[in-house]
Amino acid sequence: MTAEDRTTPESDVAPSDQPDPNRWKALVICLLGGGIVLLDVSIVNVALQSISTGLPGTSPEAVQWILSGYALSFGLLLVPGGRLGDATGRRRMFVIGVGLFTVASALCGFAPNGIVLVVARLVQGLAGGLLTPQVTALIQQLFRGKERGTAFGLFGATVGIATAIGPLIGGLLITAFGTENGWRFVFFVNLPVGVVTILLAFRYLPGMTSTERGRKHDFDPVGIVLLGAAVVALLLPFVQSSEWKGNTKWWLVVVAVVLGALFVLWERRYERTKEPLIDLGLFRRRSFSLGVGLATLYFAGFTPLFFVLTLALQSGLHYSALMAGLSSVPFAIGSGIASTIGGRIVHRFGRQLIVIGTILVLLGLGAVIWVVANHYRSDLGWWLVLPLLVAGIGSGLTISPNQTLTLSEVPVEQGGSAGGLIQVGARVGSAVGIAAVGSVFYSILANSNGDYAKGLPLGLGVSLGFVAAALVAGIVDVVVGKARGTEATV
């Protein structure tokens, strides 16, 4: 297939057993698009103080929604977005997602007040939810065997690095452009990346073949509404846990369970005659169901680390946004290197590699807790270098191998919706983890007159528990796989 063929609106070349010659270039484009979405999950954390100072009419509630609104709308479109990509073309949905994200980023940067910024962040999240499942689906489509593990390894490196290095980039931008307007450039940085990604996507990402265009698909609107409502009902009480006082919000979890049950019943009925939003048969595959569960538990433990650590460094030890961001660099380095290696060797070790990874994360997190409890002083950042490096290496050996193994038995034509389900698990885990860790963290601070040396270790102890649960899930899969002779492989 020539470059000229790839610039047509949709390629008519039929799929073959030959690998796409542009697959590695396509992967770079996917990682650029997916990277800016993941970066915006964490980059805003260090910008909240700058936003509160420099943006008129920014109430504490608006600041909270700048964070939680993105998480809510992101989770809402992950599975429907993946389904749209499977049915109408992954390149098309990828370009639409990047374009919408870029426009929303511009609106964020130019926002005149808090309300406009919150609305723009909601649109950003929707775009991220549309874009992200296309990345995993395209990797699933373009790569096979060991190459797929390598590609998912690079994607895992992008996840770890983008999440960990977001605070550093945010700190650099705020330092360069000042506290009053520095936060605007946290969003403007997405604009050139978005434009370049769109231009390259048309050239290198594969379009639908004539055979794929000829297939008729059902979009299952009732299923989309039920699943979307269930995801929002589940996420809302967690992402709003600090602002929504009282216990009434937790009734939404019950509502989410009811909606989830209705969704399953509807899908079982719908699949008798039409194509459902999600093939529930995927969950009968141990590699998939256990992988989604492991991702949910792991992200519940992994994501809160930078949330509470950044707060403790900035508010407790008065680190600048830049210095607080620098503290995450060892984790990013370890995660980036280990993800790449993990993707290359996952075909040899399977889920055992994930067990090793989660053990390293537990050791790293445990060391972070010990250091904070015993050495909470101005040079804390230096003391955290080695523990965070170990945790980063473990994270790299967990995220990308788990992604590879979870999707290993999923048919390519279902790659978008299946990848969306993994991301939903990660987003739900992140929201639950931040709420649980934040609740303990803030409670200890309130009862100890702001003693971060107590609050941070106890909060991270909750993270440790989630990672330990992920380790147990991995061990169970290894043991059951060996006993049945059905170990997960690439």
Side-chain angles (χ1 to χ4, degrees):
M1 187 180 296
T2 65
E4 287 75 18
D5 292 328
R6 304 301 292 276
T7 56
T8 57
E10 296 289 350
S11 172
D12 285 329
V13 179
S16 70
D17 292 332
Q18 295 300 315
D20 190 316
N22 286 311
R23 61 194 181 282
W24 294 107
K25 294 175 183 177
L27 177 64
V28 173
I29 308 311
C30 289
L31 298 186
L32 277 175
I36 58 172
V37 172
L38 293 165
L39 189 70
D40 267 48
V41 173
S42 61
I43 195 173
V44 176
N45 285 342
V46 296
L48 294 179
Q49 186 175 351
S50 176
I51 292 171
S52 300
T53 303
L55 186 63
T58 308
S59 64
E61 292 78 14
V63 170
Q64 176 64 24
W65 270 100
I66 289 166
L67 287 176
S68 61
Y70 184 84
L72 277 174
S73 57
F74 190 98
L76 179 63
L77 270 193
L78 281 168
V79 175
R83 180 80 180 103
L84 280 170
D86 291 342
T88 66
R90 289 157 186 159
R91 182 176 72 184
R92 179 180 297 160
M93 289 301 107
F94 180 89
V95 170
I96 291 173
V98 175
L100 186 59
F101 190 87
T102 304
V103 171
S105 296
L107 292 175
C108 287
F110 287 114
N113 54 54
I115 293 176
V116 173
L117 181 55
V118 168
V119 172
R121 281 286 282 174
L122 288 170
V123 177
Q124 251 195 337
L126 289 172
L130 181 62
L131 162 64
T132 300
Q134 315 312 327
V135 175
T136 54
L138 282 164
I139 293 174
Q140 186 84 342
Q141 173 184 335
L142 290 168
F143 296 92
R144 297 287 184 274
K146 295 178 183 179
E147 281 194 348
R148 183 181 287 174
T150 301
F152 273 123
L154 292 170
F155 177 65
T158 303
V159 173
I161 292 173
T163 304
I165 212 168
L168 172 61
I169 295 175
L172 285 169
L173 292 169
I174 291 168
T175 301
F177 296 101
T179 302
E180 185 173 349
N181 289 306
W183 65 269
R184 296 185 185 274
F185 291 87
V186 164
F187 300 108
F188 287 151
V189 75
N190 296 329
L191 305 188
V193 179
V195 171
V196 170
T197 301
I198 290 171
L199 294 175
L200 293 176
F202 281 113
R203 183 171 180 83
Y204 293 116
L205 295 189
M208 295 182 77
T209 64
S210 56
T211 302
E212 290 170 332
R213 285 202 304 273
R215 293 174 186 162
K216 291 185 178 181
H217 294 276
D218 298 301
F219 288 97
D220 190 8
V222 174
I224 289 174
V225 171
L226 285 172
L227 181 62
V231 169
V232 171
L234 181 59
L235 285 175
L236 186 59
F238 291 102
V239 299
Q240 283 285 291
S241 60
S242 60
E243 293 297 322
W244 188 347
K245 307 301 181 185
N247 293 321
T248 55
K249 60 179 176 286
W250 300 116
W251 283 103
L252 282 174
V253 176
V254 178
V255 173
V257 172
V258 172
L259 289 170
L262 290 174
F263 171 75
V264 171
L265 292 173
W266 170 261
E267 292 295 279
R268 285 179 174 172
R269 176 186 174 187
Y270 196 80
E271 69 181 358
R272 294 172 189 166
T273 55
K274 297 181 180 180
E275 187 178 11
L277 177 64
I278 295 173
D279 178 5
L280 297 178
L282 288 173
F283 288 98
R284 289 194 288 271
R285 303 175 187 266
R286 195 182 78 248
S287 62
F288 182 80
S289 58
L290 191 135
V292 171
L294 194 149
T296 303
L297 291 168
Y298 180 73
F299 273 84
F302 153 67
T303 310
L305 170 62
F306 300 104
F307 173 67
V308 292
L309 184 59
T310 300
L311 281 173
L313 291 174
Q314 285 188 280
S315 301
L317 294 175
H318 307 293
Y319 276 37
S320 66
L322 174 58
M323 293 305 295
L326 279 170
S327 68
S328 64
V329 170
F331 187 99
I333 292 172
S335 178
I337 294 172
S339 291
T340 305
I341 295 172
R344 291 173 182 268
I345 63 175
V346 64
H347 66 282
R348 292 172 55 192
F349 298 100
R351 195 77 68 180
Q352 295 174 73
L353 187 62
I354 298 170
V355 170
I356 294 170
T358 48
I359 289 173
L360 288 175
V361 175
L362 283 173
L363 292 173
L365 269 178
V368 168
I369 292 171
W370 185 87
V371 168
V372 172
N374 292 278
H375 195 87
Y376 188 73
R377 295 194 282 272
S378 58
D379 61 346
L380 176 63
W382 289 105
W383 283 78
L384 291 176
V385 169
L386 184 58
L388 287 176
L389 179 63
V390 172
I393 292 171
S395 188
L397 296 178
T398 301
I399 294 176
S400 60
N402 185 60
Q403 185 100 32
T404 305
L405 294 173
T406 302
L407 292 175
S408 61
E409 297 179 5
V410 174
V412 171
E413 60 271 17
Q414 296 177 353
S417 53
L421 281 170
I422 298 174
Q423 292 296 325
V424 167
R427 297 284 71 79
V428 169
S430 296
V432 172
I434 288 174
V437 171
S439 176
V440 173
F441 177 69
Y442 286 119
S443 176
I444 299 300
L445 289 185
N447 294 326
S448 63
N449 295 318
D451 189 346
Y452 286 91
K454 287 184 178 179
L456 187 56
L458 289 173
L460 289 179
V462 179
S463 284
L464 208 65
F466 283 122
V467 177
L471 172 61
V472 171
I475 291 173
V476 167
D477 186 50
V478 170
V479 172
V480 172
K482 284 184 178 296
R484 296 181 179 177
T486 56
E487 296 176 77
T489 57
V490 177

